[in-house]
Amino acid sequence: MTALDLSSPVAVVGAGTMGQGIAQVALVAGHPVRLYDAAPGRAREAAAAIGARLDRLVEKERLTAAGRDAARARLLPVEELTGLADCALVVEAVLERLDVKQELFRVLEDVVPDDCLLATNTSSLSVTAIGGALRLPGRFVGLHFFNPAPLLPLVEVVSGSATDVTSATRAYETARAWGKTPVACADTPGFIVNRVARPFYAEAFAVYESQGADPATIDAVLRESGGFRMGPFELTDLIGQDVNESVTHSVWRSFFQDARFTPSLAQRRLVESGRLGRKTGRGWYDHADGAERPEPHTADPAEPPAYVIAEGGLGPASELLALIREAGVEVRERDEDGGTRLVLPGGGKLVLADGRTTAEFRDVVHFDLALDYRGATRIALSHARHTSPAAVAEATGLFQALGKKVSVIGDVPGMIVARTVARIVDLAVEAVARGVATEDDVDTAMRLGVNYPLGPFEWSRRLGRGWAGELLDELHGIDPSGRCAPSLALHQYACAADEREDTP
């Protein structure tokens, strides 16, 4: 099954921001495009807006003037759904309400031919449920574009329970022919991206709600240590707190209130107060003109230790040993069964975040996971109230000697980056185990859909298959509510990497 022929008309129903973006993608690819909106005159206004964006593409030399003129000639706003009767594909981008979408497609079925492919751009509703109202549900598929559709490459091609393989394949190949990167996905709450990404927000909000760190510090640690392009607080301000919370609630409800997807009370209060982010001028941050952005907590300069004693190889943080030597700090190595820590001259111990609290130990300082310790510009440290100031100072001075800014946070088990990555890996592994998507498609979706520095399986290969499960086991032991409970799939995934006896 191949992509739709370029002579085949494509329709977009819903002329808002997303609908306009999808229409522009199909138009630039070479299709005749019909644009419809239920609001009188809205389709014509949207067509004019698309034309203006085509002009800007010409100005930026991304489109020729002849190409723009040809695209404009192929774009036709229509005032009635009957104007879509000759279309080979109709993509819906209307209000995120199941009844509205179902009614639209019921009407469309009486307008378009039986071989017309019908698609929804829903981000949170069930493709199966929307298509369940159709006479021919086999031709119904999800085509989830990401905003802005002309710029972001990812398209989740979602097969509902009744979707024919031929329909899904045609939708997939058409998206690819449009210059997009499609990933195949089964119909599951949140699909790939909005399912696997929930911990990126949830763990940050949980750290904030526990008074572990402020939003600016959490954002900075995830950017400068984790390698994420934006932190969750600034990202949800950009998305809109109401939009982000709505997706979280939808996934949580769809998974029968699974504790791992529990929404944030702090975010609920933001939405209730009308502080929705950039669009209202205030969210986690103040976006008013001239407002000062709060600075992340950064520790004052401290003296580095003269030496450290390395017990064990530091696991995922092993590259630190070379960096410490390069900084002129002596590294003394000592064999220690089960040891993966640095011992400081004053007797304090520096341990990679492992899901335990520092309150469990005497003079232990945890340090957070980094995507790349050499390239990281900030490292978070965590300690308990009874940790000696000398241990904290020596740990701070050590990382400052490596050229890192240091953010000291509260006694947060799993810290910030480590617990976030562990939970993302868990949900990704579970999604693959349940047949939602392949490992490669999950990695592609998370890198392209939300700009993660690595896909979850790429993270896991770097950290070791058992790393996420071990950290989540510790977190679950401290908080048995279930929100950090590792899945059975993650346990099986870790075991598959080890050599096991044939029989128990």
Side-chain angles (χ1 to χ4, degrees), residues 254-344:
S254 296
F255 278 112
F256 308 105
Q257 301 185 3
D258 186 327
R260 294 176 300 165
F261 300 100
T262 301
S264 162
L265 180 59
Q267 188 179 42
R268 174 92 290 263
R269 293 293 179 257
L270 274 187
V271 174
E272 289 174 338
S273 67
R275 292 180 291 172
L276 306 182
R278 291 189 183 182
K279 61 187 176 183
T280 61
R282 185 69 185 248
W284 296 109
Y285 299 109
D286 186 349
H287 299 280
D289 291 341
E292 291 187 12
R293 183 70 173 265
E295 292 293 325
H297 170 75
T298 301
D300 292 333
E303 287 294 320
Y307 67 89
V308 294
I309 300 172
E311 295 183 343
L314 294 187
S318 59
E319 66 179 317
L320 277 176
L321 297 179
L323 298 180
I324 293 170
R325 291 188 176 98
E326 290 170 15
V329 177
E330 180 187 357
V331 177
R332 305 173 183 175
E333 298 192 43
R334 180 167 67 196
D335 290 335
E336 184 76 14
D337 291 340
T340 53
R341 56 185 173 261
L342 295 174
V343 181
L344 300 165

Side-chain angles (χ1 to χ4, degrees), residues 333-502:
E333 298 192 43
R334 180 167 67 196
D335 290 335
E336 184 76 14
D337 291 340
T340 53
R341 56 185 173 261
L342 295 174
V343 181
L344 300 165
K349 298 177 179 62
L350 195 53
V351 179
L352 176 63
D354 56 7
R356 296 180 292 179
T357 67
T358 51
E360 300 174 49
F361 307 98
R362 180 179 178 181
D363 274 1
V364 163
V365 178
H366 278 117
F367 65 95
D368 208 350
L369 181 69
L371 170 65
D372 169 14
Y373 282 100
R374 183 175 293 276
T377 58
R378 183 179 299 271
I379 296 293
L381 301 180
S382 173
H383 67 88
R385 292 181 179 178
H386 61 248
T387 305
S388 71
V392 178
E394 286 185 325
T396 299
L398 176 63
F399 280 103
Q400 289 174 339
L402 307 186
K404 317 300 181 187
K405 296 177 181 177
V406 174
S407 291
V408 181
I409 68 173
D411 186 10
V412 177
M415 301 195 68
I416 298 172
V417 180
R419 66 191 284 169
T420 299
V421 171
R423 289 211 54 224
I424 288 171
V425 168
D426 182 33
L427 292 188
V429 168
E430 185 184 51
V432 171
R434 294 191 176 190
V436 172
T438 66
E439 290 187 10
D440 286 345
D441 275 357
V442 169
D443 277 352
T444 297
M446 302 314 292
R447 282 189 287 102
L448 299 184
V450 278
N451 290 312
Y452 283 7
L454 293 175
F457 291 94
E458 292 172 317
W459 270 113
S460 184
R461 285 190 287 273
R462 282 196 179 196
L463 300 170
R465 279 178 175 247
W467 173 84
E470 291 170 3
L471 187 144
L472 293 177
D473 275 335
E474 294 288 352
L475 284 174
H476 182 56
I478 295 171
D479 174 16
S481 65
R483 67 177 307 276
C484 293
S487 65
L488 172 61
L490 186 63
H491 173 73
Q492 293 169 328
Y493 174 78
C495 291
D498 299 331
E499 292 184 3
R500 301 290 176 181
E501 296 182 4
D502 292 335

Side-chain angles (χ1 to χ4, degrees), residues 90-418:
V90 180
V91 183
E92 161 273 316
V94 302
L95 188 66
E96 281 287 279
R97 274 181 43 188
L98 180 61
D99 59 336
V100 172
K101 294 179 187 290
Q102 287 179 328
E103 180 59 26
L104 169 63
F105 284 110
R106 284 193 195 98
V107 175
L108 279 171
E109 269 204 311
D110 293 332
V111 173
V112 299
D114 286 354
D115 61 350
C116 175
L117 190 62
L118 299 178
T120 174
N121 184 58
T122 185
S123 61
S124 59
L125 299 176
S126 165
V127 171
T128 300
I130 299 171
L134 297 179
R135 174 174 51 86
L136 298 173
R139 59 162 162 179
F140 188 72
V141 67
L143 276 178
H144 181 214
F145 290 78
F146 288 74
N147 193 27
L151 297 180
L152 295 185
L154 184 70
V155 177
E156 292 177 317
V157 181
V158 186
S159 293
S161 297
T163 302
D164 292 335
V165 173
T166 53
S167 297
T169 302
R170 170 155 285 183
Y172 184 98
E173 294 299 333
T174 297
R176 185 158 65 176
W178 290 358
K180 296 302 180 182
T181 303
V183 292
C185 175
D187 185 21
T188 186
F191 310 142
I192 300 174
V193 172
N194 280 328
R195 172 179 178 156
V196 177
R198 292 349 292 164
F200 181 69
Y201 311 107
E203 294 312 304
F205 298 162
V207 172
Y208 168 74
E209 290 173 338
S210 69
Q211 302 292 298
D214 61 277
T217 300
I218 296 169
D219 278 351
V221 170
L222 283 162
R223 286 194 316 267
E224 300 172 38
S225 185
F228 294 92
R229 185 169 297 182
M230 295 181 74
F233 295 93
E234 57 189 342
L235 181 55
T236 53
D237 265 3
L238 176 63
I239 295 168
Q241 298 302 330
D242 53 339
V243 175
N244 180 263
E245 190 205 32
S246 176
V247 174
T248 298
H249 270 270
S250 176
V251 173
W252 177 60
R253 288 192 302 267
S254 296
F255 278 112
F256 308 105
Q257 301 185 3
D258 186 327
R260 294 176 300 165
F261 300 100
T262 301
S264 162
L265 180 59
Q267 188 179 42
R268 174 92 290 263
R269 293 293 179 257
L270 274 187
V271 174
E272 289 174 338
S273 67
R275 292 180 291 172
L276 306 182
R278 291 189 183 182
K279 61 187 176 183
T280 61
R282 185 69 185 248
W284 296 109
Y285 299 109
D286 186 349
H287 299 280
D289 291 341
E292 291 187 12
R293 183 70 173 265
E295 292 293 325
H297 170 75
T298 301
D300 292 333
E303 287 294 320
Y307 67 89
V308 294
I309 300 172
E311 295 183 343
L314 294 187
S318 59
E319 66 179 317
L320 277 176
L321 297 179
L323 298 180
I324 293 170
R325 291 188 176 98
E326 290 170 15
V329 177
E330 180 187 357
V331 177
R332 305 173 183 175
E333 298 192 43
R334 180 167 67 196
D335 290 335
E336 184 76 14
D337 291 340
T340 53
R341 56 185 173 261
L342 295 174
V343 181
L344 300 165
K349 298 177 179 62
L350 195 53
V351 179
L352 176 63
D354 56 7
R356 296 180 292 179
T357 67
T358 51
E360 300 174 49
F361 307 98
R362 180 179 178 181
D363 274 1
V364 163
V365 178
H366 278 117
F367 65 95
D368 208 350
L369 181 69
L371 170 65
D372 169 14
Y373 282 100
R374 183 175 293 276
T377 58
R378 183 179 299 271
I379 296 293
L381 301 180
S382 173
H383 67 88
R385 292 181 179 178
H386 61 248
T387 305
S388 71
V392 178
E394 286 185 325
T396 299
L398 176 63
F399 280 103
Q400 289 174 339
L402 307 186
K404 317 300 181 187
K405 296 177 181 177
V406 174
S407 291
V408 181
I409 68 173
D411 186 10
V412 177
M415 301 195 68
I416 298 172
V417 180

